[in-house]
Amino acid sequence: MAVSLFVAGCGSQASTADAMPPAEVSVAEVVSRDVQPWDEFTGRVSAVESVELRPRVSGYVERVAFDEGQEVAKGDLLFVIDQRRYRAELARAEADLARARSEAQLARTQDARAQSLVEAKAISREEFESRRASRSQAEAAVRAAEAAVANARLDLQFTEVRAPISGRAGRALVTAGNLAQADATVLTTLVSLDPVHVYFEADEQTWQRYNAQAGEKRAVEDNAVRVGLAGESGYPHAGKVDFVDNQVDAGTGTIRARAVVANPDRLLTPGLFARVQLQGRDSHRALLVDDKAVLTDQDRKYVYVLGEGNTAMRKDVRLGREIGDLREVADGLEPGDKVVVHGVQKIFFPGMPVAPTTVEMGAPPAPPQVASAESGAEPAGPAGGSQ
């Protein structure tokens, strides 16, 4: 009787397994195409130009002429230092220049008169040479007075502190009424906004690989880069490498590189963390699959491919870089393999029968089919279960 019950139970399980409908899945053929590799790094956004604005003359700040944090153009007025002292210095220098010019005119007149008198032998040669020297001294005094006027006028101009570059101004570190010392007091900071630099560091092996690919050119010279911020998806900002350091840091084993990136929308603020992709020089043939098709078994990655008789066969794979919306498979698949991309959760064991629907690799899943009310049929539940 025990043997009879066991045989009856096995028959019941076999009939249940035979009655299980194949799992409906979407399969796509592995994509095989030439790809351009991109290496990923982390970096920081930095301003191309950064200025600590200091006054060139000393004095009390009379006015702050900008809004803190605003974008300013080169030459815009930012601070005004008390000008009264410098206006007085300019007036004194101009008066000294007028006196020097008057004395020079008198010296030229006396020299011309001495020239005619010495020819008539009415004065001595010594007196003639003395008047000629007085004329030269007066003309030199005029030039010195002109230089003093130019210097005083320059100091007066320096009382108006203007932006040396276009960019965004920081907060005013010195406000009206405070003393600003020439070449010492920092008034504010300015950073340029467009374009910006993105600094990142590459390890030794990556650097050597790019060096080997470069040939006669410098490694990563003018290589394209793509940049994404921490809160962005993908890499929406494009640029190129314009500088590589001249030595590897012995402490970290990395070398610093710099990319220049356009920033017309001002999203790249100096100091932000950046995700950087650097384009390699060599292209190669690669097999690509949708990331949704890749499953994890402890430390191994695998996919299900369509086998003989529409069964799901497991294949372990080794993954490579992300190529757009797809993932490179370095090992484990062959061209022509059809990979299960949608419905992998319905496959419970290798060799399980499936009902495949062919789609394009990377295409979204098809909407579920709902049975019509006229047929009275109920939608099927998950494979191997009941609703």
Side-chain angles (χ1 to χ4, degrees), residues 107-177:
R108 283 192 292 270
T109 302
Q110 290 178 346
D111 180 60
R113 185 180 300 113
Q115 180 69 34
S116 60
L117 291 176
V118 76
E119 291 175 356
K121 298 183 179 180
I123 60 173
S124 65
R125 190 74 184 179
E126 181 182 358
E127 186 175 352
F128 167 74
E129 292 176 353
S130 176
R131 293 186 181 183
R132 176 61 57 89
S134 296
R135 174 181 175 175
S136 298
Q137 291 175 357
E139 290 176 346
V142 170
R143 291 193 295 271
E146 289 174 344
V149 169
N151 186 65
R153 187 173 287 118
L154 197 60
D155 285 345
L156 181 59
Q157 292 178 357
F158 287 157
T159 59
E160 295 182 347
V161 182
R162 298 183 178 273
I165 62 171
S166 296
R168 178 167 289 131
R171 69 184 183 93
L173 302 177
V174 178
T175 55

Side-chain angles (χ1 to χ4, degrees), residues 74-269:
K74 183 178 180 179
D76 284 354
L77 180 64
L78 302 182
F79 292 88
V80 178
I81 295 175
D82 188 3
Q83 298 179 334
R84 291 173 294 177
R85 169 189 169 190
Y86 298 98
R87 291 186 184 279
E89 288 291 332
L90 177 59
R92 184 180 63 81
E94 289 175 341
D96 290 342
L97 176 59
R99 182 174 63 251
R101 285 175 174 171
S102 176
E103 292 175 351
Q105 180 61 36
L106 176 61
R108 283 192 292 270
T109 302
Q110 290 178 346
D111 180 60
R113 185 180 300 113
Q115 180 69 34
S116 60
L117 291 176
V118 76
E119 291 175 356
K121 298 183 179 180
I123 60 173
S124 65
R125 190 74 184 179
E126 181 182 358
E127 186 175 352
F128 167 74
E129 292 176 353
S130 176
R131 293 186 181 183
R132 176 61 57 89
S134 296
R135 174 181 175 175
S136 298
Q137 291 175 357
E139 290 176 346
V142 170
R143 291 193 295 271
E146 289 174 344
V149 169
N151 186 65
R153 187 173 287 118
L154 197 60
D155 285 345
L156 181 59
Q157 292 178 357
F158 287 157
T159 59
E160 295 182 347
V161 182
R162 298 183 178 273
I165 62 171
S166 296
R168 178 167 289 131
R171 69 184 183 93
L173 302 177
V174 178
T175 55
N178 288 287
L179 178 64
Q181 295 288 347
D183 303 324
T185 305
V186 178
L187 301 176
T188 189
T189 56
L190 294 174
V191 293
S192 60
L193 298 175
D194 185 24
V196 295
H197 283 154
V198 178
Y199 286 91
F200 60 97
E201 295 182 346
D203 59 88
E204 292 182 12
Q205 293 182 351
T206 302
W207 170 247
Q208 291 172 359
R209 173 161 51 84
Y210 275 92
N211 249 342
Q213 297 168 1
E216 296 180 357
K217 296 182 179 180
R218 294 178 58 191
V220 303
E221 181 87 13
D222 297 328
N223 277 35
V225 297
R226 299 186 297 205
V227 176
L229 301 179
E232 294 178 333
S233 60
Y235 300 84
H237 311 283
K240 66 177 183 178
V241 176
D242 71 331
F243 166 77
V244 179
D245 209 346
N246 59 357
Q247 61 182 346
V248 175
D249 188 332
T252 61
T254 59
I255 188 168
R256 172 165 290 191
R258 184 183 72 194
V260 57
V261 181
N263 187 32
D265 50 9
R266 307 299 192 261
L267 291 178
L268 299 174
T269 302

Side-chain angles (χ1 to χ4, degrees), residues 299-317:
D299 60 341
R300 291 179 295 179
K301 302 289 185 180
Y302 68 95
V303 298
Y304 282 114
V305 300
L306 191 63
E308 294 183 2
N310 288 343
T311 56
M313 306 302 296
R314 169 173 167 166
K315 281 193 175 184
D316 291 343
V317 295

